[in-house]
Amino acid sequence: MMAGRVLVAIAVLAAAAALFVAAEAQQAPAQQGHQTERISGSAGDVLDDDPVGRLKVFIYDLPGKYNKKLLKKDPRCLNHMFAAEIFMHRFLLSSAVRTTNPEEADWFYTPVYPTCDLTPSGLPLPFKSPRMMRSAIELIATKWPYWNRSEGADHFFVTPHDFGACFHYQEEKAIGRGILPLLQRATLVQTFGQKNHVCLKEGSITIPPFAPPQKMQNHLIPGETPRSIFVYFRGLFYDTGNDPEGGYYARGARASVWENFKNNPLFDISTDHPPTYYEDMQRSVFCLCPLGWAPWSPRLVEAVVFGCIPVIIADDIVLPFADAIPWEEIGVFVPEEDVPRLDSILTSIPTEDILRKQRLLANPSMKQAMLFPQPAQAGDAFHQILNGLARKLPHGEDVFLKPGQVRLNWTAGPVGDLKPW
């Protein structure tokens, strides 16, 4: 039975590789003047939207201890997957949507870098983040009148922690903490997204994690290179340090991938991270994007950029810019409980469906929407965030409070979060 599936998969792979090489030669590299398949429906139109002229953003001028001094202390913050908070600030400072007149602003942005507090191994420490954010809000509420008139309902914050504004990397503790109460009316721009989850509030804008655009650009290989790897994955399957008994990390999905497919010839999976990692993704048909401690990871960005069909294994995940990117058309969704059937699921996908997903992934606007390039470029992730904010305008009547009206509780939250920062 297994041998039959392997033969079918190899036939599918060979046909897809041969056909797609021919298709790419005619359609894929738009930078060489070729055409790619148009993204159908409103998604393509939304991806191409220009936010300039549709909104104005006022940037609060905060002391450096909330942003620039943190980065100066630890420049590693520029390169980790949470760096969107830094690059969004830099982008807005020179953006055409910026206004220096707060009276004409549609949105107010508070540039705080809550993840730029790293351990020696480069992981963010979430413990100071709530106090830092509270301190920044107290400052703007004292110095400017705009927070108090809406209690933050016309403000947005970039919160790229594992579980967003819950500010913890472990889900149970993040759920127990909940979203910082002072942010309950604000719009959160965050990488975390999971339906019906305490850490995703209604109206949030889910964004891709930061992946270094120039580094990926430096590893591009010729577009006509055959995709000779059927399924590719590099990363942890177990986290024995934080989950010694197993089963909690990735809800067991990664462990199931390893246990079921470590010896399967169609699966190129390992914990090794070779120097050819980016090149290998460009030689692969499917790239696994399973949840880890959180549902998201940079693999999703890398898969899209390198034209590898993302296989998304994270139940109820809310994907970046889901109102603009047709994820159902470009990816494959596999329920966590169905991981043991991954081989049969992927080998049963018709060749023509594989080729169409690859053509859509080859569309430059799809790749651009997932990146935070320096300098910014039309249609990139910065612009998709602004488009998301613009689509929320005009503000509803419930945004601005009546005189004397108060909705937020400034003393709510864990006791530790109320300490001065």
Side-chain angles (χ1 to χ4, degrees):
M1 188 75 173
M2 181 62 192
R5 289 204 301 268
V6 171
L7 289 174
V8 170
I10 292 174
V12 170
L13 175 56
L19 287 172
F20 186 59
V21 167
E24 277 193 323
Q26 296 181 6
Q27 295 177 308
Q31 64 268 31
Q32 297 177 15
H34 297 299
Q35 297 297 312
T36 56
E37 183 161 323
R38 180 74 171 90
I39 302 170
S40 62
S42 62
D45 300 328
V46 173
L47 279 176
D48 293 337
D49 278 352
D50 184 355
V52 175
R54 299 169 58 209
L55 76 166
K56 293 183 178 181
V57 177
F58 178 79
I59 306 172
Y60 287 114
D61 185 15
L62 299 185
K65 68 176 184 177
Y66 294 102
N67 41 61
K68 295 178 182 178
K69 286 185 178 179
L70 293 171
L71 180 57
K72 185 177 181 180
K73 178 182 176 182
D74 198 336
R76 292 179 301 169
C77 297
L78 280 172
N79 299 311
H80 66 41
M81 60 184 173
F82 308 101
E85 63 188 7
I86 299 169
F87 290 112
M88 190 64 188
H89 183 198
R90 291 183 174 184
F91 162 72
L92 285 172
L93 287 172
S94 59
S95 171
V97 305
R98 182 188 180 187
T99 178
T100 56
N101 178 6
E103 293 296 335
E104 66 177 19
D106 300 296
W107 289 99
F108 293 81
Y109 167 61
T110 308
V112 184
Y113 302 168
T115 67
C116 192
D117 182 18
L118 305 181
T119 65
S121 61
L123 299 174
L125 286 169
F127 311 113
K128 296 179 183 177
S129 299
R131 298 201 299 273
M132 182 194 307
M133 192 66 79
R134 282 184 58 90
S135 174
I137 293 172
E138 288 171 353
L139 176 63
I140 63 174
T142 302
K143 190 174 179 180
W144 291 274
Y146 307 104
W147 173 273
N148 295 318
R149 71 181 185 181
S150 69
E151 289 192 328
D154 55 353
H155 289 55
F156 71 93
F157 295 80
V158 181
T159 56
H161 260 286
D162 293 81
F163 289 93
C166 286
F167 296 124
H168 209 287
Y169 58 88
Q170 293 180 347
E171 185 172 19
E172 286 185 357
K173 293 182 179 179
I175 291 173
R177 176 187 294 280
I179 292 174
L180 184 70
L182 291 184
L183 293 176
Q184 289 293 343
R185 284 176 56 79
T187 290
L188 303 180
V189 177
Q190 60 183 50
T191 45
F192 173 75
Q194 183 172 317
K195 298 174 186 175
N196 304 314
H197 197 284
V198 168
C199 299
L200 181 68
K201 68 186 292 290
E202 184 178 354
S204 297
I205 297 175
T206 309
I207 65 172
F210 177 78
Q214 190 56 53
K215 182 179 178 182
M216 289 190 284
Q217 178 74 26
N218 293 341
H219 286 267
L220 288 177
I221 62 177
E224 65 272 13
T225 304
R227 292 187 178 269
S228 55
I229 301 170
F230 193 62
V231 180
Y232 188 75
F233 176 78
R234 290 294 183 273
L236 290 177
F237 298 98
Y238 307 90
D239 186 348
T240 54
N242 295 296
D243 182 26
E245 296 182 5
Y248 184 68
Y249 176 62
R251 297 196 281 260
R254 291 196 185 198
S256 182
V257 169
W258 179 250
E259 290 161 6
N260 285 282
F261 305 111
K262 59 186 174 183
N263 296 319
N264 188 312
L266 297 178
F267 284 67
D268 188 344
I269 58 176
S270 172
T271 56
D272 295 334
H273 202 287
T276 57
Y277 173 69
Y278 284 157
E279 288 83 355
D280 292 342
M281 293 189 84
Q282 295 169 78
R283 297 186 182 98
S284 302
V285 176
F286 296 104
C287 288
L288 301 185
C289 301
L291 74 161
W293 284 111
W296 60 272
S297 82
R299 287 180 191 83
L300 188 67
V301 177
E302 295 161 349
V304 171
V305 169
F306 292 133
C308 185
I309 298 170
V311 180
I312 299 159
I313 307 170
D315 293 352
D316 295 324
I317 189 172
V318 176
L319 290 161
F321 309 132
D323 56 350
I325 295 177
W327 289 106
E328 295 286 348
E329 296 184 53
I330 65 173
V332 176
F333 290 80
V334 176
E336 293 164 26
E337 66 178 8
D338 288 344
V339 167
R341 299 194 302 110
L342 254 180
D343 54 348
S344 59
I345 291 172
L346 297 179
T347 56
S348 66
I349 299 175
T351 301
E352 58 268 25
D353 290 354
I354 292 175
L355 293 175
R356 184 170 187 276
K357 291 178 186 294
Q358 290 173 325
R359 287 195 299 270
L360 286 169
L361 284 167
N363 192 304
S365 63
M366 195 79 69
K367 304 174 188 296
Q368 191 76 333
M370 299 294 286
L371 296 174
F372 296 91
Q374 303 294 307
Q377 300 171 15
D380 61 17
F382 300 117
H383 290 83
Q384 302 308 324
I385 293 170
L386 293 183
N387 282 335
L389 292 170
R391 288 193 288 274
K392 292 177 174 289
L393 298 175
H395 292 301
E397 294 181 359
D398 61 337
V399 166
F400 301 106
L401 305 180
K402 298 176 182 179
Q405 186 179 13
V406 176
R407 292 189 179 181
L408 297 180
N409 182 355
W410 284 76
T411 60
V415 175
D417 292 355
L418 305 180
K419 296 178 180 178
W421 178 72

